[in-house]
């Protein structure tokens, strides 16, 4: 399992660090389940622990008790399948368990539900709800400002280091690393630059450590970014507060909806679709149009007008010391 995570996925399959982290999170949850619910220890772990009924019971557990969405459960099932495929290539005893796992139905049927953004008015009310002067609120305010300003994924923003910011440039920008480890350049508005400069000065001083994360964990230090779960949890606090004033804002607002809202508003402001596609890090313009839920007629019109694009210049689960996780936490 450790070789699968640390060698095979990143070096043979060339998976990004974000993907590897997601696979490790899924495996950690499964190992916790085996240890807590099935009383499996390091000495009793075997291929039989990956039997179909236990995997199905685990999926039901993380969906019902851990409140994982159906999409998340399906992603984590895929991770276990990937592991079993790898293990079966090393040891034929795992092959029946891999084939059984492939027969488990996913919870989602057909295409995933279209992500819904919120209007510009609703976005204004959401930011108005981010009130307060303590460090956490100030961090949240600039984090969601950067997200809405750039349309970047939450993981991409969390991985921004001080060295990635070019705020003294004539046209301030940030270099982020997207899916597959591909870098791309995103520009900042003038107001966001002002907020970032102030935020960095207050949190890092006049000479910030270049390798430090811009949005670091206040518990684990500047070498560790804030977790995705922590950011989404904070967003729900503000969404709940803003919902009373603007019912359009869902109480369970997710960070991906801010990204979706940003690109929708760009499109409404007649920003070229090719530039939006590059900004979002999509492989094709068609993907962007599908993402926005635009009709085939609108797609054809947008493709006809496309121009050259912008140049591409907490973990919530505690480790179990000495338990099953020690197999992969090396």
């Amino acid at each position: 399992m450790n070789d699968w995570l640390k060698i095979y996925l990143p070096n043979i399959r060339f998976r990004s660090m974000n993907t590897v982290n997601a696979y490790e999170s899924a495996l950690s949850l499964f190992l916790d389940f085996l240890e807590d619910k099935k009383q499996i220890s390091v000495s009793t772990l075997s291929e039989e622990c990956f039997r179909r009924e236990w995997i199905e019971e685990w999926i039901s557990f993380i969906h019902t008790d851990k409140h994982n969405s159906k999409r998340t459960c399906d992603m984590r099932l895929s991770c276990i399948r990937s592991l079993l495929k790898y293990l079966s290539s090393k040891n034929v005893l795992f092959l029946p368990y891999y084939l059984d796992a492939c027969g488990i139905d996913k919870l989602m049927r057909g295409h995933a539900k279209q992500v819904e953004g919120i209007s510009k008015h609703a976005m204004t009310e959401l930011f108005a709800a981010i009130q307060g002067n303590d460090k956490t609120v100030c961090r949240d305010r600039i984090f969601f400002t950067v997200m809405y300003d750039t349309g970047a994924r939450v993981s991409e923003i969390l991985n921004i280091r001080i060295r990635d910011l070019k705020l003294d440039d004539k046209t301030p920008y940030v270099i982020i690393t997207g899916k597959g480890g591909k870098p791309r350049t995103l520009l900042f508005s003038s107001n966001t630059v002002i907020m970032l400069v102030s935020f960095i000065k207050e949190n890092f001083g006049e000479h910030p450590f270049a390798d430090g994360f811009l949005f670091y964990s206040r518990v684990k230090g500047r070498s560790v970014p804030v977790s995705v779960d922590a950011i989404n949890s904070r967003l729900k606090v503000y969404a709940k507060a803003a919902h009373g004033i603007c019912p359009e804002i869902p109480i369970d607002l997710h960070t991906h909806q801010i990204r979706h809202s940003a690109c929708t508003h760009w499109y409404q402001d007649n920003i070229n679709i090719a530039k939006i596609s590059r900004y979002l890090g999509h492989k094709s313009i068609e993907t962007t149009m599908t993402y926005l839920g635009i009709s085939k007629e609108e797609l054809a019109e947008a493709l006809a007008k496309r121009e050259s694009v912008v140049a591409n210049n907490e973990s919530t689960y505690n480790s179990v010391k000495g338990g099953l996780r020690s197999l992969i936490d090396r």
Side-chain angles (χ1 to χ4, degrees):
M1 292 189 297
N2 198 58
D3 288 347
W4 173 69
L5 280 173
K6 306 297 168 42
I7 300 174
Y8 180 73
L9 289 176
N11 300 327
I12 306 301
R13 298 296 296 168
F14 301 106
R15 301 304 187 196
S16 70
M17 187 53 61
N18 288 331
T19 298
V20 173
N21 289 339
Y23 277 42
E24 183 171 359
S25 177
L27 178 55
S28 296
L29 277 176
F30 185 66
L31 293 178
D32 285 349
F33 169 80
L34 292 179
E35 194 159 38
D36 297 339
K37 303 296 183 182
K38 300 300 179 183
Q39 287 72 55
I40 299 298
S41 65
V42 171
S43 62
T44 58
L45 183 66
S46 70
E47 68 276 2
E48 293 184 359
C49 295
F50 292 90
R51 66 189 70 170
R52 175 172 180 160
E53 56 266 33
W54 280 13
I55 295 177
E56 290 178 328
E57 185 179 340
W58 170 65
I59 292 295
S60 177
F61 171 73
I62 61 175
H63 178 53
T64 304
D65 291 49
K66 293 293 186 180
H67 307 295
N68 286 191
S69 68
K70 291 182 179 180
R71 174 187 280 272
T72 300
C73 288
D74 288 345
M75 180 275 291
R76 287 178 168 155
L77 171 59
S78 296
C79 293
I80 298 301
R81 285 176 177 169
S82 174
L83 170 63
L84 286 173
K85 183 178 182 180
Y86 172 80
L87 293 176
S88 64
S89 71
K90 303 294 182 181
N91 187 335
V92 71
L93 292 177
F94 283 93
L95 184 56
Y97 298 96
Y98 166 61
L99 296 176
D100 274 351
C102 289
I104 300 175
D105 290 332
K106 291 189 174 183
L107 299 182
M108 293 290 288
R109 298 290 184 180
H111 295 290
K113 181 180 179 182
Q114 179 73 30
V115 176
E116 295 291 339
I118 60 177
S119 67
K120 293 181 181 179
H121 169 71
M123 190 63 68
T124 299
E125 294 297 339
L126 174 65
F127 277 102
I130 308 177
Q131 298 181 1
N133 295 317
D134 66 81
K135 288 189 175 181
T136 300
V137 174
C138 291
R139 179 206 67 193
D140 295 342
R141 186 183 297 115
I142 186 62
F143 181 93
F144 295 123
T145 296
V146 170
M147 171 167 276
Y148 182 64
D149 203 29
T150 63
R153 301 176 178 91
V154 60
S155 59
E156 294 171 340
I157 297 176
L158 288 174
N159 285 326
I160 294 175
R161 297 177 187 266
I162 296 297
R163 66 168 181 262
D164 299 324
L165 296 164
K166 312 299 178 184
L167 302 181
D168 294 330
D169 195 82
K170 183 178 180 180
T171 305
Y173 64 94
V174 60
I175 299 175
I176 66 168
T177 302
K179 288 185 176 181
K182 297 179 180 178
R184 68 183 190 276
T185 299
L186 302 180
L187 306 180
F188 290 127
S189 66
S190 57
N191 287 337
T192 300
V193 172
I194 293 173
M195 293 176 68
L196 278 170
V197 170
S198 176
F199 176 77
I200 292 173
K201 184 176 181 181
E202 181 176 345
N203 288 272
F204 297 88
E206 295 290 344
H207 304 287
F209 178 55
D211 287 334
F213 285 99
L214 177 62
F215 300 106
Y216 61 87
S217 169
R218 301 194 181 281
V219 176
K220 299 181 179 180
R222 297 179 180 179
S223 61
V224 178
V226 181
S227 71
V228 174
D229 288 335
I231 291 297
N232 272 311
S233 178
R234 295 294 299 171
L235 178 59
K236 285 178 173 56
V237 171
Y238 304 124
K240 184 177 180 180
H243 179 78
I245 299 174
C246 181
E248 177 193 341
I249 301 174
I251 296 177
D252 59 347
L253 185 69
H254 191 275
T255 49
H256 201 69
Q257 290 174 274
I258 294 183
R259 167 175 158 87
H260 189 280
S261 300
C263 68
T264 300
H265 298 166
W266 295 339
Y267 186 74
Q268 291 172 346
D269 290 337
N270 296 318
I271 293 180
N272 179 268
I273 189 63
K275 293 181 180 180
I276 294 177
S277 184
R278 172 59 67 88
Y279 236 59
L280 294 177
H282 287 163
K283 291 183 178 180
S284 68
I285 294 178
E286 287 82 356
T287 299
T288 306
M289 301 305 292
T290 302
Y291 183 79
L292 293 173
I294 295 173
S295 67
K296 291 182 178 180
E297 290 76 15
E298 291 172 310
L299 171 57
E301 182 180 353
L303 292 175
K305 296 179 179 179
R306 62 184 175 184
E307 303 169 0
S308 58
V309 297
V310 176
N312 184 17
N313 295 328
E314 127 217 274
S315 177
T316 58
Y317 310 104
N318 297 322
S319 296
V320 181
K321 295 182 179 179
L324 293 180
R325 286 202 184 190
S326 63
L327 296 174
I328 61 175
D329 288 342
R330 295 189 293 177

